[in-house]
Amino acid sequence: MIIGTAGHIDHGKTSLVRALTGVETDRLREEKARGISIDLGFAYLPAPDGAVLGFVDVPGHEKFVHNMLAGATGIDFVMLVVAADDGVKPQTLEHLAIVDLLGIERGIVVLTKTDLATPARQAEVSAEIARLLQPTQLADAQIFPVSTVTGDGIAELRAHLFDAAHSIRTRAASGRFRLSVDRSFTLTGAGTIVTGTILSGAVSVGDRVMISPNGLAARVRSIHAQNQPSANGVAGQRCALNLAGDGITKDAISRGDMVLDPELHAPTSRIDVELRLLASEAKPVAQWMPVRLFHASSDIGARVVLLEDAPLAPGEARRVQMVLDRPIAAANGDRFVVRDTTSQRTIGGGTLLDLRAPGRKRRTPERLAQLRAHRIADPDAALAMLLDIAPRFVELSAFARDRALSASQLQEIVARRSIVASPTADGSFAMSAPAWLELKRTLLAKLQAFHADNPDLPGIGLERLRLQLEPRLPAPALLSVLHGLVRGKDIALDGAWVRLASHEVRLTDDDEKSWAKIAPLIGGAERFRPPRVRDIATLLGLRETEVRRLLKLLGRMGRIDEVALDHFFLRATVAEMVGIVVDLCEAQPLAQFTASQFRDRVDNGRKVAIPILEFFDRHGVTLRRGDLRRVNKHRLDLFRRLSEGENKLKASGGESSPVGRPDFKSGRGREPVLGGFDSLSLPPR
């Protein structure tokens, strides 16, 4: 159990911890000289049952409330310290408000310096404290009168803390590991040490961890948990971690950083939260109001974006968006405190709801419904609600990461719910079973209608299909869905074309006869220098327009590519030339080749070789600098079928870019290309 102190300056917090543990928590020279706590102090008390109680002693001076906040996060039990002779003071009230805002539900009040107050005065102060506690989560907290001078009440208080440790609910160690750093220093012979409270999960010697938000990777060399050497540390313990790794120094890690499981490293600077403004505030919170946000041990500037038209009035709680000055590492459900820009006054606090808040459309009914779901603490229930509202799908990997859930926890939730989960290149996404069936029916109906309207096309472009579906899945998620339907033999994928498995494009009998004559001319030994449309028409005695129409149709079917105007190559020939380009690069020390080297390999003359290379340049297969070219390995799949598990859509422009889309408009004439690419834009993948 981690016990934190709270209370006004000079009310005896440090003396109380010393009387309970025998440890002097004031460690700084200035603290000893001035007789006040400036920074966090730590002490430990072994319990009779072998457990160890950790104490976090916080400063009470108003100038050091930011240090108090760094220590208050992660405590299980609070001791609100009030001097019997002084009574309730300003920092007593502020610390009590902070404890309430942080959601700390367990605690007691310790009435110190009873040797300096009469019984009547003690009763008066106790009554005032009970009245102040009434609207807070510590409303039923016991009051323990003690004196650190005479020792009265110390033994009873210590015994109560031992009993309370048995009733404190143990934090789940099954989640992913997070430790909030409050100190970083160097120890001779050991190296860099960081200390803090483990907020979730567990860590063991030898584990790989990451420092967030700066992204430094580290390895855990040794652990001290609750002031004792240990092979591991678990949630709810104060730990010291000896870290090693490139760039790991005491100056590279500071208070406010988070040591965590590498899977959780995803800093954020825009967060939707539920903010409660203290009733004691004189003014409401207005749009774009600057504040200081305290989360875990971090302190950062932020702006408040109201999600409703009216300002947030004192005493009210409402969902707002926090736009931070810099990214932080956090998790859904974490508590935070907000102070004014000078950090002299606590004005409110609340709970983090969604770490991936949008910058636009943040006030729509659909978005507000999502925030209601994110407000649910139980991840099982929250996921179920998210799947029932727009957009009716959830990125499972992001959901688990932002709630610090382990892989086993996520698997249990998916197993309990009627959820259809599909893997993507970056993780996985989920839909409810009814939503999945509705999507499948809609998708098949769209394909059926498209084939009825376009019987001569091999299928519809993937991006064009995606934009017609509800819910509108991200491209990687839709590709995962399509691969599932391919396995079920409902549909087929031909590059970037999507079609029903039963659909097959057939040429007319006349077109088949014409193609039988044309194919030998652009294949075989002359495949690298095929004749153009006009030459083919002359050789075969066909109309030029008919030859062009047939070759355009075959291009849409993915059987040939129009490398230059009216210059068509077989798809297999284009793939072969890509292989030649790769071979040329691999044979050169700098992985670069010239146009003449390519010309010599294909033996087709410069007038044909240059348009081919420009075709590859245009589609990113090759990257040109001066007279040299190199291969872009990320675009080599443009001229071959996309195998299951591959996902190049994101790498080639994403959803908002036309590059890589099957429905991209061709440059010539700006006319839309029905169903997919023509050969002068990007070819099907």
Side-chain angles (χ1 to χ4, degrees):
M1 182 172 74
I2 305 297
I3 302 167
T5 62
H8 196 73
I9 183 175
D10 202 30
H11 275 204
K13 295 184 294 299
T14 301
S15 298
L16 177 63
V17 173
R18 183 172 61 244
L20 289 168
T21 66
V23 176
E24 175 62 64
T25 57
D26 281 347
R27 55 187 172 81
L28 303 178
R29 181 180 302 174
E30 188 179 358
E31 290 178 320
K32 298 180 184 297
R34 297 173 61 181
I36 63 171
S37 296
I38 295 174
D39 206 349
L40 302 176
F42 308 101
Y44 300 90
L45 176 64
D49 61 358
V52 177
L53 276 60
F55 288 82
V56 181
D57 183 29
V58 305
H61 196 287
E62 63 178 344
K63 290 184 179 179
F64 307 119
V65 173
H66 61 284
N67 288 340
M68 179 269 177
L69 281 160
T73 298
I75 68 174
D76 304 301
F77 193 92
V78 64
M79 293 192 302
L80 181 64
V81 179
V82 182
D85 57 338
D86 255 4
V88 174
K89 291 293 183 179
Q91 259 54 63
T92 309
L93 299 174
E94 184 168 22
H95 283 205
L96 178 59
I98 289 171
V99 166
D100 197 45
L101 291 169
L102 291 176
I104 301 171
E105 302 174 349
R106 300 292 304 279
I108 56 173
V109 178
V110 182
L111 195 63
T112 58
K113 302 187 180 183
T114 54
D115 55 300
L116 301 180
T118 64
R121 174 60 178 166
Q122 294 179 37
E124 179 186 349
V125 174
S126 296
E128 184 181 9
I129 293 170
R131 179 179 56 80
L132 289 174
L133 294 181
Q134 206 54 46
T136 72
Q137 297 182 80
L138 298 178
D140 299 323
Q142 291 181 250
I143 300 177
F144 286 81
V146 302
S147 170
T148 58
V149 175
T150 65
D152 291 344
I154 296 297
E156 291 81 359
L157 175 58
R158 189 184 292 116
H160 180 80
L161 294 177
F162 289 151
D163 291 339
H166 293 131
S167 61
I168 289 290
R169 180 173 57 86
T170 304
R171 296 189 203 176
S174 55
R176 293 195 184 273
F177 169 68
R178 293 195 303 146
L179 177 140
S180 174
V181 176
D182 49 46
R183 290 180 65 202
S184 175
F185 56 92
T186 300
L187 195 62
T188 304
T192 303
I193 309 292
V194 299
T195 68
T197 301
I198 300 181
L199 303 180
S200 64
V203 65
S204 300
V205 173
D207 282 356
R208 297 285 176 177
V209 295
M210 187 163 285
I211 315 302
S212 194
N214 61 27
L216 285 174
R219 177 176 57 85
V220 179
R221 297 177 61 186
S222 62
I223 299 173
H224 267 62
Q226 297 291 81
N227 206 36
Q228 297 176 346
S230 176
N232 52 63
V234 297
Q237 292 182 330
R238 278 202 57 79
C239 279
L241 305 181
N242 180 197
L243 301 179
D246 292 339
I248 298 297
T249 65
K250 74 178 182 67
D251 296 324
I253 309 172
S254 58
R255 176 175 293 177
D257 288 341
M258 199 82 74
V259 182
L260 40 70
D261 184 316
E263 293 291 330
L264 299 184
H265 176 61
T268 178
S269 59
R270 187 185 297 273
I271 309 174
D272 281 345
V273 308
E274 183 166 64
L275 174 64
R276 174 162 67 91
L277 189 62
L278 294 178
S280 57
E281 280 300 291
K283 296 181 179 180
V285 171
Q287 190 71 276
W288 204 239
M289 175 178 169
V291 295
R292 298 296 300 180
L293 184 139
F294 293 81
H295 163 264
S297 55
S298 64
D299 166 13
I300 188 166
R303 294 275 185 169
V304 180
V305 178
L306 299 177
L307 300 182
E308 297 180 20
D309 294 330
L312 177 60
E316 284 187 347
R318 196 183 298 165
R319 289 179 287 274
V320 302
Q321 187 172 108
M322 290 287 185
V323 180
L324 311 184
D325 290 349
R326 56 180 173 80
I328 62 171
N332 282 53
D334 284 355
R335 307 292 292 224
F336 68 94
V337 170
V338 169
R339 308 193 82 208
D340 68 343
T341 52
T342 62
S343 286
Q344 293 182 350
R345 190 179 78 259
T346 299
I347 63 177
T351 307
L352 305 184
L353 300 181
D354 187 1
L355 307 184
R356 314 299 154 188
R360 298 175 60 250
K361 298 183 179 180
R362 50 193 169 199
R363 304 170 67 177
T364 63
E366 293 81 6
R367 178 60 190 164
L368 296 179
Q370 292 169 19
L371 290 182
R372 287 193 292 272
H374 285 300
R375 191 177 185 275
I376 301 172
D378 177 29
D380 194 333
L383 180 59
M385 184 172 177
L386 285 170
L387 293 175
D388 285 339
I389 60 179
R392 302 189 70 190
F393 69 89
V394 172
E395 292 185 30
L396 276 182
S397 47
F399 178 84
R401 179 197 63 212
D402 289 347
R403 288 182 176 252
L405 301 178
S406 66
S408 59
Q409 287 177 304
L410 184 62
Q411 288 172 2
E412 291 174 5
I413 293 173
V414 171
R416 282 195 298 268
R417 295 283 175 179
S418 179
I419 292 175
V420 178
S422 298
T424 65
D426 299 325
S428 61
F429 82 102
M431 300 178 69
S432 66
W436 160 256
L437 291 174
E438 182 181 340
L439 174 66
K440 179 180 177 180
R441 285 194 294 266
T442 303
L443 189 150
L444 296 178
K446 293 288 184 185
L447 290 178
Q448 184 70 46
F450 182 84
H451 292 325
D453 294 338
N454 304 275
D456 61 336
L457 293 180
I460 188 172
L462 191 149
E463 181 67 8
R464 181 176 177 183
L465 175 63
R466 189 184 75 85
L467 296 176
Q468 295 180 18
L469 297 175
E470 288 295 337
R472 184 172 294 176
L473 300 177
L478 178 59
L479 190 61
S480 178
V481 169
L482 295 177
H483 281 309
L485 294 176
V486 168
R487 288 191 294 271
K489 301 186 184 304
D490 294 300
I491 67 168
L493 293 177
D494 289 331
W497 307 106
V498 185
R499 62 176 174 84
L500 292 174
S502 58
H503 177 73
E504 183 178 358
V505 177
R506 293 182 180 274
L507 298 177
T508 65
D509 292 340
D510 289 341
D511 285 345
E512 285 285 6
K513 292 176 182 177
S514 298
W515 173 238
K517 297 176 183 178
I518 295 173
L521 296 179
I522 64 175
E526 300 297 314
R527 64 190 182 281
F528 295 135
R529 45 183 178 277
R532 295 178 181 269
V533 168
R534 178 175 297 176
D535 299 327
I536 293 172
T538 301
L539 288 170
L540 299 179
L542 300 174
R543 291 169 55 193
E544 183 179 335
T545 55
E546 281 302 306
V547 173
R548 185 177 292 109
R549 180 197 62 79
L550 176 57
L551 294 180
K552 292 280 188 182
L553 175 59
L554 290 165
R556 291 199 297 270
M557 293 171 64
R559 295 164 68 173
I560 60 177
D561 287 304
E562 189 174 11
V563 170
L565 182 63
D566 278 355
H567 208 173
F568 292 86
F569 288 67
L570 291 174
R571 172 56 60 90
T573 302
V574 175
E576 186 179 354
M577 291 189 294
V578 170
I580 290 172
V581 165
V582 172
D583 290 342
L584 285 173
C585 284
E586 290 177 348
Q588 302 302 317
L590 299 178
Q592 300 178 112
F593 69 96
T594 64
S596 59
Q597 289 172 322
F598 176 77
R599 176 202 63 200
D600 294 341
R601 280 289 300 271
V602 297
D603 189 24
N604 60 4
R606 185 174 181 83
K607 286 187 177 181
V608 179
I610 292 299
I612 294 172
L613 291 176
E614 289 176 345
F615 174 77
F616 289 152
D617 294 342
R618 191 159 63 244
H619 302 315
V621 175
T622 53
L623 302 174
R624 180 183 178 183
R625 176 171 293 181
D627 294 331
L628 297 174
R629 287 177 170 85
R630 59 186 176 86
V631 166
N632 179 5
K633 62 181 180 180
H634 301 293
R635 305 286 282 181
L636 293 180
D637 63 348
L638 283 175
F639 299 96
R640 61 174 185 253
R641 289 190 177 184
L642 189 66
S643 61
E644 183 173 342
E646 286 184 295
N647 177 23
K648 302 296 183 183
L649 294 174
K650 184 177 179 181
S652 59
E655 300 165 30
S656 63
S657 169
V659 179
R661 288 186 180 177
D663 58 350
F664 183 53
K665 293 181 180 180
S666 67
R668 184 150 44 93
R670 305 302 296 170
E671 69 275 12
V673 182
L674 294 177
F677 294 103
D678 65 9
S679 300
L680 285 180
S681 60
L682 291 179
R685 285 177 289 177

